[in-house]
Amino acid sequence: MKFTQLCLFASLLTLGVSGQELPDIERLAFWSWGTSAQLKEELKAIDQELAKLPALAVVNTSASTGFKTAISIGENVRWLAVELSGEAVADTVVLAPALAKAATGVVAGYGFPVRFVLEVFDAKGEATVVLDASREDFPNPGCYPVVARFEPRRLMRVRLTALEPWALDGADTLAMAELLILSGNRNLAAGAKVTCSSTRAAPRTWTRPNLVDWITPMGLPVRPEPTGAPGFHSAVAQTAEATKHVTVSLREPMPLDEVLVVPARVKAVPLWFDYGFPHEYKVEGALNQDFSDAVLLGEGTDRFARQGMNLVAFPVGGRNIQHVRFTAKRLWLRQKDYVFALAELALMRDGVNVALGAEVTASDQSTEASRMNWAPQQLTDGLTAEGTLIPLPDWFSQLERRQSLESKRSGLVQRLDDHLQGARKQVVYASIGGLGGASLLSILLLVRQQQQRRRDAQRLQEKLARDLHDEIGSNLGSIAMISSLASEPNTTPESLRADLAEIGQVAAESADSMRDMVQLINPRTHAPESRWLEVIHRLTERLLRGIETTCEFPAHPLQLEPDLETRREIYLLCKEALHNIARHARASKASVRIAPSAKGLQVLITDNGVGFDSGRSSTGHGIGNMQERASMMGAQLRLSSKPGTGTTVQFDVPATKRWRRS
């Protein structure tokens, strides 16, 4: 033992380090420092540039999710179109993907087609393809916008045709949060006519007008600034019916194209995305300061509508205007009082905000305005709490740059990890031939195993955090949204009971998911209530309630227990298969069997439902998602089904060195 310690000490001295402190393996691999330093410098440069670029919100801050086609059988081609009231010159079409809850959790890019064609039509009906993704699968963009730029041309209609639609949930669909038609800095599609092959009408959530309402999960078009200004804040009122207004006055009359209103944001409270935005309001323009010649430019009359963290646009049509007034007719409920607040009021002419620095007058303002940094003049300073407002084309260009940098950064991180792994191996191999190589090798392997365990634990933690964010975060957002509606002054007992029942159902689903996840990864398998197979058993009974179900699970503890990450993947794969039975199979009987096999575990899930043609190839099908989960475990997935004969899902999970004996 003393000889081994002496050899180790001599080896460390040979490498020029103290025998009292075990150095990091990366420092030992001194020949790799140059490459590591270069990769880290590239990552640092990317991070510095990302900090200056706009970031996506990736959250639905309004009840409006977007547009979605109906779920129907036999509809081969799905399409949507936006038609302007008249022919106009445009140069860009932007597709804003939807963020919505699917069977496996909240999905960014929900319903975005796998293959599609984007066309523009002039007044004569002549079509021009501006984006052709019909020859190969288009990568799901998540919440990033898909931008099609072209030479300025006169057009009247834009059509998106899904040649191969999204089918992650097992049913083909086409969904989109927003479609924008840009002419310079202006969105011509706001409030335009929407036509489609079919529509999934769900009040507020999925409707045709939602496609052109400016509401997306991307957030506001701002560039981050450390000194953002929140905007204007009225005095506090004790009743929602108190009328308040704020007016922006130009130095002289000028023709305006549109008025843009930016809701205020209070970051201290996560759900206050449109803080102080009134439930009922109107926007007027006038030449006279007393508004004796006022013209109504737009109004909001739906007290249950929420704009969220999105722009609100009101077309002016080139009318000469000098004064614009925003009047709040029904105030925003804060907690036990009512307020009116806005971040910015922009008057647009030829894509330029001519209201920057303009005079602002208000009916009143908050007595806490100076302490909270609210002021009327902040309505025309071009700033929000998140940063500086930027033109739409610049915003989309910078979001594309962020998307490219994030992809590049992910590749660099992988390269750095691979490089360090290679360097660690070289350290191990070089140490074998040195004095005390055997002892040093043992310690290096131990360090490597510890680091691997830390990486595995971190990866599992990140996956669990994502699962909880998708499942629990989405449900909490739903509860918050329902609670805000239930707190409205005109709520009836019947609607309140319905809201409370819906909150109870969502809360129960959240509790079940949380309990499953906690017990699934609990290492104390000697406690009967923490056995992971019982978690899957309860999941089966919960999801297949009302279906005659047979469950066959091992009666005795398994000789080989899967590791925590494999348990999680088996649970999620079973959950997805059971979701498909519950939602789509229309089955009366089902069975779930989990049993040990020669190589590990075998899972067999069957039903007598309607089935489908398993021989049909479709990249966007939900089968691909199951195959991806199976491949992450090294499992072999077998799926057999025919229309009218039910479905069988079988996957064989091989044991790995991380599995342990009971």
Side-chain angles (χ1 to χ4, degrees):
M1 183 65 181
K2 291 182 178 179
F3 175 74
T4 302
Q5 292 175 343
L6 181 61
C7 291
L8 173 59
F9 181 74
S11 298
L12 294 177
L13 288 179
T14 302
L15 292 171
V17 296
S18 169
Q20 297 177 351
E21 181 182 10
L22 181 65
D24 183 82
I25 297 181
E26 183 181 352
R27 283 186 283 166
L28 286 175
F30 55 87
W31 57 85
S32 69
W33 290 351
T35 303
S36 298
Q38 179 183 352
L39 292 173
K40 290 179 180 179
E41 282 298 319
E42 292 183 40
L43 285 172
K44 181 180 178 181
I46 288 177
D47 289 339
Q48 290 174 345
E49 185 175 355
L50 286 174
K52 300 176 183 179
L53 292 174
L56 290 173
V58 196
V59 60
N60 287 323
T61 57
S62 167
S64 169
T65 301
F67 165 85
K68 178 180 179 181
T69 59
I71 299 176
S72 58
I73 300 175
E75 186 178 355
N76 295 326
V77 178
R78 287 168 168 77
W79 59 270
L80 58 85
V82 173
E83 185 172 340
L84 305 178
S85 58
E87 199 175 47
V89 176
D91 52 36
T92 306
V93 174
V94 181
L95 303 176
L99 177 70
K101 187 175 181 180
T104 56
V106 177
V107 177
Y110 178 93
F112 200 90
V114 177
R115 297 192 181 191
F116 62 91
V117 172
L118 184 63
E119 303 169 283
V120 298
F121 298 81
D122 59 19
K124 297 179 181 178
E126 296 182 0
T128 301
V129 176
V130 295
L131 182 56
D132 187 349
S134 61
R135 296 178 179 83
E136 59 183 18
D137 294 353
F138 193 87
N140 191 296
C143 281
Y144 277 102
V146 176
V147 184
R149 299 179 179 86
F150 45 88
E151 290 297 322
R153 60 188 310 114
R154 300 190 67 83
L155 59 85
M156 191 170 180
R157 185 168 175 260
V158 175
R159 170 174 165 147
L160 173 67
T161 304
L163 304 178
E164 184 174 342
W166 187 86
L168 187 60
D169 275 343
D172 295 350
T173 189
L174 169 62
M176 202 68 59
E178 191 81 2
L179 189 149
L180 299 90
I181 304 173
L182 301 187
S183 177
N185 297 339
R186 186 182 176 195
N187 176 23
L188 304 177
K193 180 182 178 181
V194 177
T195 56
C196 53
S197 58
S198 62
T199 181
R200 165 75 169 91
R204 302 190 185 283
T205 304
W206 299 107
T207 66
R208 283 190 294 178
N210 287 355
L211 188 65
V212 289
D213 62 357
W214 280 87
I215 296 177
T216 75
M218 296 187 297
L220 292 170
V222 296
R223 182 178 60 248
E225 295 285 351
T227 57
F232 162 76
H233 195 300
S234 73
V236 176
Q238 299 305 314
T239 175
E241 286 73 20
T243 300
K244 298 178 182 294
H245 60 80
V246 63
T247 303
V248 173
S249 299
L250 302 175
R251 291 187 176 88
E252 59 184 3
M254 60 180 60
L256 301 180
D257 297 321
E258 61 184 349
V259 174
L260 294 180
V261 181
V262 184
R265 172 84 188 279
V266 176
K267 294 183 179 180
V269 182
L271 295 179
W272 285 358
F273 296 111
D274 49 2
Y275 175 84
F277 199 87
H279 300 312
E280 295 182 9
Y281 59 88
K282 65 178 179 179
V283 180
E284 300 171 290
L287 292 173
N288 298 329
Q289 192 170 7
D290 61 359
F291 281 80
S292 57
D293 60 341
V295 175
L296 181 66
L297 303 179
E299 59 182 341
T301 58
D302 186 353
R303 68 179 61 179
F304 299 107
R306 294 291 187 273
Q307 190 65 25
M309 196 164 49
N310 300 279
L311 297 176
V312 189
F314 302 98
V316 181
R319 185 190 300 270
N320 273 339
I321 297 291
Q322 186 171 1
H323 308 279
V324 173
R325 173 179 291 173
F326 188 107
T327 303
K329 301 166 64 177
R330 187 176 185 84
L331 304 185
W332 188 81
L333 174 63
R334 187 165 60 177
Q335 290 177 338
K336 296 182 180 180
D337 51 22
Y338 299 86
V339 297
F340 165 45
L342 296 175
E344 194 76 9
L345 195 59
L347 311 184
M348 307 301 294
R349 177 185 180 187
D350 297 330
V352 177
N353 181 13
V354 296
L356 289 176
E359 178 186 359
V360 180
T361 56
S363 56
D364 57 36
Q365 70 181 82
S366 172
T367 55
E368 302 177 350
S370 58
R371 182 173 66 85
M372 302 298 293
N373 199 28
W374 298 88
Q377 284 305 127
Q378 292 181 7
L379 272 184
T380 57
D381 62 359
L383 292 173
T384 71
E386 287 77 27
T388 304
L389 284 170
I390 58 176
L392 292 177
D394 294 347
W395 185 43
F396 292 128
S397 296
Q398 293 182 39
L399 286 179
E400 288 178 306
R401 176 60 177 167
R402 169 174 281 275
Q403 186 179 20
S404 174
L405 287 175
E406 288 182 346
S407 176
K408 183 178 179 181
R409 188 186 190 283
S410 178
L412 286 174
V413 169
Q414 185 62 50
R415 283 177 56 194
L416 179 59
D417 186 65
D418 293 343
H419 173 71
L420 294 179
Q421 290 287 353
R424 292 186 181 102
K425 291 180 180 179
Q426 292 175 6
V427 169
V428 172
Y429 298 153
S431 300
I432 295 177
L435 183 62
S439 300
L440 182 58
L441 177 61
S442 300
I443 293 180
L444 291 177
L445 290 175
L446 176 61
V447 172
R448 182 181 180 185
Q449 289 173 357
Q450 291 174 341
Q451 291 178 338
Q452 183 63 44
R453 284 196 295 269
R454 286 197 295 269
R455 283 196 299 270
D456 290 343
Q458 182 179 1
R459 183 168 62 250
L460 180 60
Q461 181 182 11
E462 291 172 351
K463 289 181 178 180
L464 290 174
R466 184 167 63 249
D467 292 339
L468 292 175
H469 176 272
D470 290 346
E471 189 73 20
I472 308 302
S474 173
N475 289 348
L476 289 177
S478 300
I479 291 175
M481 184 71 70
I482 299 168
S483 299
S484 66
L485 294 176
S487 63
E488 291 291 337
N490 64 338
T491 301
T492 64
E494 290 77 14
S495 65
L496 181 59
R497 282 193 294 271
D499 290 339
L500 290 175
E502 188 173 357
I503 289 173
Q505 180 181 355
V506 175
E509 293 177 0
S510 301
D512 289 336
S513 297
M514 179 71 78
R515 182 172 59 253
D516 283 354
M517 199 60 65
V518 170
Q519 295 187 2
L520 189 70
I521 66 172
N522 193 332
R524 297 177 298 171
T525 54
H526 62 273
E529 64 273 16
S530 67
R531 293 179 60 185
W532 67 277
L533 287 173
E534 292 184 5
V535 176
I536 297 180
H537 195 173
R538 288 198 305 271
L539 174 71
T540 303
E541 293 177 342
R542 190 166 67 246
L543 293 184
L544 300 187
R545 186 180 294 114
I547 299 176
E548 182 180 342
T549 306
T550 302
C551 294
E552 295 182 34
F553 289 76
H556 303 287
L558 297 172
Q559 292 184 352
L560 279 177
E561 285 283 352
D563 59 287
L564 298 183
E565 189 167 355
T566 303
R567 294 182 194 178
R568 170 186 171 274
E569 293 296 341
I570 293 175
Y571 170 85
L572 292 176
L573 208 156
C574 288
K575 185 176 182 179
E576 186 161 4
L578 294 173
H579 262 298
N580 287 338
I581 295 175
R583 296 191 176 193
H584 308 300
R586 299 200 294 273
S588 60
K589 293 183 179 180
S591 68
V592 178
R593 180 178 180 270
I594 299 179
S597 64
K599 295 184 178 180
L601 278 178
Q602 182 184 84
V603 181
L604 185 67
I605 301 175
T606 63
D607 67 80
N608 66 345
V610 296
F612 63 95
D613 185 6
S614 60
R616 186 175 73 90
S617 175
S618 176
T619 304
H621 204 276
I623 300 173
N625 194 44
M626 299 175 69
Q627 290 173 335
E628 181 179 352
R629 291 201 179 279
S631 65
M632 293 178 68
M633 299 184 290
Q636 184 177 6
L637 175 68
R638 298 184 181 90
L639 190 147
S640 61
S641 181
K642 292 182 180 180
T645 63
T647 301
T648 298
V649 177
Q650 176 183 333
F651 54 98
D652 297 290
V653 185
T656 68
K657 61 182 180 181
R658 292 187 296 178
W659 290 32
R660 65 175 182 83
R661 293 193 175 276
S662 300

